[in-house]
Amino acid sequence: MTDSAAPAPTRPRSLSGIQATSDSLHLGNYIGALQQFVAQQETHDAFFFIANMHAITVDQDPAQLRERTLRTAAQFIGAGLDPQRSTLYVQSHIPAHTQLGWILECTTGLGEAMRMTQFKDKSGKNEHVSLGLLTYPALMAADILLYQADVVPVGEDQRQHLELTRNLAERFNHRYGQTFTVPEAHILKATAKVYDLQDPTAKMSKSAKTPAGLIEILDDEKTLTKKIKSAVTDTGTEVTYDPHAKPGVSNLLTIHSALSGRSIEELVSEFEGKMYGHLKVAVAEVVVETLRPLRTRTLELLDDPAELSRVLDAGADAASAVAQRTIEQVFERVGFLHR
Ligand code: ATP
Ligand code: MG
C-alpha cells in the first residue's frame, strides 16, 4: 500500500534546550524536559540544543563550561535522543541565535523583562547581576523563533518565558508582517514540576541549597537510593496525593508515576495501609532502573569526546541551514541593508 511518490507528511516541529550548568542533569530536568524530548522525537521534527550561552548569565569557569557542554550532550543521547532522528546542537555554534536575540531585545519592554519571576529569583540569589540575566528571555525567544517551532516541551518554571516568546512573535509579526510561527508550550501538568527531596516546596534545581535534595541522573545506585530513602516526608502515615498538605509524599508519587507510567491513583491504592518507607523503597527502585541504562550509555559516550563533537558538528550544520533562512528574512523585514 505504500506509495513512494507520496510526500512524507510534515511533522510539527518541537524544539527545546537545557543549560550546560552542571556535570549531571537532575531528575527535574529529566522528567520535566528530557523525557518529553525523547517522546517527541517519535512524533515531531525535533530540534534540541545545549544552552551554553544561557549558562553564562551567571558566572562560569571556561574549562568547566566546555566540559559540561559535552556532558549535557552525552546525557541527551544517553537518555535516548538519536542524532539521526533529532537535530542536536550547541547554541553558540549558531550565530543567528545572538543576531535574532538582539532584535528581540529591541522588541521587549524593560518593564516586561523585569517582571519575569525567574529574573527576580535569580537576581535575588546572586551578588553580581549581569545584564544578560535580565535579557536572557529575549535570547530564549530567539532560540525558539529562529526554527519556527510549533511546540516547546519545558517544565512549569518556563511557562512565563514561553508566554513572552509568544508575545514577541505576535508583536514582530504585527509590526513587520508574518515572519514567525507562534509556538505552544508543551507542559505536562502532572509532572511539570519536580521538587527538592529535602525541601519539597522548592523546585529541584541545579542551584539547590543542599545536594541531598537533588537527584542527579548520573548519581550511582547507592547514592540514588540513599537520597530517596532520606527524602523528607510529612506528618501522618498514610500515602495520599495532596501536594498542599503532603508535599513530600506527593513529590515521591509524582516521580514514581512519571517514570513507571502508572497513574497516581493506582499507586495510592497500591500503598494503602503501607508506610512511607515502602513508598520510598519502590521509588528508589524505579529511579535506579530508569537511570541505569542512561548512565551506562552516557559514560560510554564521554569516553569518546571526538565522536561526540562530530555529532554536534553535524547537528550544527543542519540547525544552521534552518536558522539562516529565518535570520535572512528577519534582517530584510527590519530594514538591515544587504552587503
Ligand atoms: P537553573 O536552576 O540553573 O536554572 P535548571 O535546573 O532550572 O537550572 P534549566 O537548564 O534551566 O535547568 O532547565 C532545563 C529544563 O528543565 C527546562 O525545560 C525546565 O523547565 C526543566 N526543569 C528544571 N527544573 C525542573 C523541575 N524541578 N521540574 C520539572 N522541570 C524542570
Ligand atoms: Mg532553569
Side-chain angles (χ1 to χ4, degrees), residues 6-252:
T10 46
R11 293 172 158 202
R13 181 164 291 162
S14 170
L15 177 142
S16 195
I18 297 188
Q19 299 192 58
T21 42
S22 60
D23 289 342
S24 170
L25 298 177
H26 59 74
L27 203 56
N29 300 139
Y30 180 74
I31 291 174
L34 199 46
Q35 201 179 29
Q36 316 309 323
F37 299 180
V38 175
Q40 295 215 332
Q41 165 178 262
E42 304 300 327
T43 47
H44 288 69
D45 176 22
F47 283 68
F48 299 117
F49 68 96
I50 296 109
N52 59 343
M53 294 201 290
H54 290 302
I56 65 162
T57 52
V58 297
D59 204 23
Q60 302 294 339
D61 172 75
Q64 197 172 49
L65 178 60
R66 228 182 319 273
E67 166 73 15
R68 288 175 167 182
T69 303
L70 279 181
R71 289 184 74 88
T72 306
Q75 290 168 84
F76 276 22
I77 302 170
L81 287 179
D82 172 3
Q84 301 299 324
R85 287 190 290 159
S86 292
T87 303
L88 307 180
Y89 56 104
V90 176
Q91 187 183 27
S92 67
H93 286 170
I94 318 290
H97 287 248
T98 350
Q99 292 173 313
L100 182 58
W102 172 249
I103 292 167
L104 294 179
E105 277 179 39
C106 298
T107 311
T108 310
L110 179 60
E112 208 173 19
M114 290 181 72
R115 275 196 299 278
M116 294 293 122
T117 53
Q118 192 172 105
F119 171 69
K120 292 189 209 165
D121 276 5
K122 289 196 176 178
S123 58
K125 280 188 204 151
N126 289 290
E127 221 166 90
H128 165 75
V129 178
S130 71
L131 192 51
L133 196 60
L134 177 67
T135 60
Y136 134 87
L139 180 58
M140 173 167 159
D143 299 335
I144 298 167
L145 300 181
L146 257 187
Y147 297 89
Q148 310 289 355
D150 297 293
V151 290
V152 185
V154 281
E156 178 61 42
D157 62 312
Q158 290 296 331
R159 186 185 293 280
Q160 195 186 29
H161 291 158
L162 247 298
E163 207 41 55
L164 176 70
T165 301
R166 290 169 55 84
N167 289 339
L168 293 177
E170 278 164 0
R171 195 173 301 161
F172 190 100
N173 287 346
H174 181 74
R175 167 84 173 80
Y176 299 104
Q178 179 59 40
T179 308
F180 297 124
T181 302
V182 181
E184 301 279 343
H186 173 83
I187 302 174
L188 285 188
K189 192 141 186 34
T191 54
K193 199 159 179 184
V194 175
Y195 293 88
D196 188 292
L197 295 189
Q198 291 299 318
D199 175 7
T201 56
K203 152 179 133 69
M204 189 177 282
S205 171
K206 289 172 194 149
S207 34
K209 284 183 292 269
T210 70
L214 180 74
I215 302 259
E216 301 203 313
I217 66 175
L218 297 180
D219 277 343
D220 60 35
E221 297 189 14
K222 229 173 102 195
T223 311
L224 289 173
T225 306
K226 190 165 159 225
K227 284 182 181 172
I228 294 167
K229 288 196 176 157
S230 26
V232 164
T233 41
D234 314 292
T235 50
T237 51
E238 229 183 311
V239 175
T240 51
Y241 184 78
D242 182 344
H244 191 67
K246 294 200 173 199
V249 171
S250 302
N251 190 35
L252 291 174

Side-chain angles (χ1 to χ4, degrees), residues 30 35 259-260 285-295:
Y30 180 74
Q35 201 179 29
L259 301 181
S260 65
E285 262 170 35
V286 193
V287 170
V288 163
E289 289 308 315
T290 306
L291 297 181
R292 183 183 291 127
L294 183 157
R295 181 170 189 266

